[in-house]
Amino acid sequence: MSASKGPGGGTPGTPGTGDDESVGPPGRFADDLIGLDPDDPEARAFAAHLDRMEHVGPASFTVEGQLAGVRDFAESANRADGTRRLAAIVLVALVLLGTGFVIFEVLEVVLRTAL
């Protein structure tokens, strides 16, 4: 890499430039991703994982926090495979069955007292 090319000069990994590994990946996790190819899907997944781990969201005791937790669970379940995905599906089915049972019981009590 020449002295005139900084991290913003030139495109790292461009054939013919001779600086395939001299410039690290840009961004928030540059120190964690040194030596990894920024175009590699696994490196991108690792950076996304680091972003999720450092993400500061709403407090977990607020409605927004609870909804963010549900979103995180759904995203994790979509990324999972095999036994973990099956466990997530079973957990969601049990929660929906429990919710349906409670709603049915409440409607039964309301209709019984109204008549």
Side-chain angles (χ1 to χ4, degrees):
M1 181 169 110
S2 66
S4 64
K5 287 188 180 179
T11 303
T14 304
T17 60
D19 60 351
D20 292 344
E21 293 183 9
S22 60
V23 176
R28 197 166 122 195
F29 304 109
D31 293 339
D32 297 326
L33 300 175
I34 290 177
L36 298 177
D37 180 17
D39 297 326
D40 184 20
E42 290 182 8
R44 289 179 186 257
F46 181 61
H49 168 73
L50 291 175
D51 187 46
R52 284 190 304 273
M53 299 309 301
E54 293 184 4
H55 178 71
V56 177
S60 62
F61 298 111
T62 63
V63 174
E64 292 86 4
Q66 293 295 319
L67 292 175
V70 171
R71 183 193 66 228
D72 292 342
F73 175 78
E75 289 174 356
S76 296
N78 284 335
R79 283 191 310 270
D81 57 349
T83 307
R84 287 186 182 210
R85 185 174 183 93
L86 180 63
I89 290 171
V90 168
L91 179 65
V92 169
L94 289 174
V95 168
L96 289 176
L97 282 173
T99 304
F101 177 74
V102 169
I103 290 172
F104 176 75
E105 292 295 319
V106 168
L107 285 175
E108 185 179 9
V109 168
V110 168
L111 292 176
R112 191 178 305 148
T113 57
L115 296 175

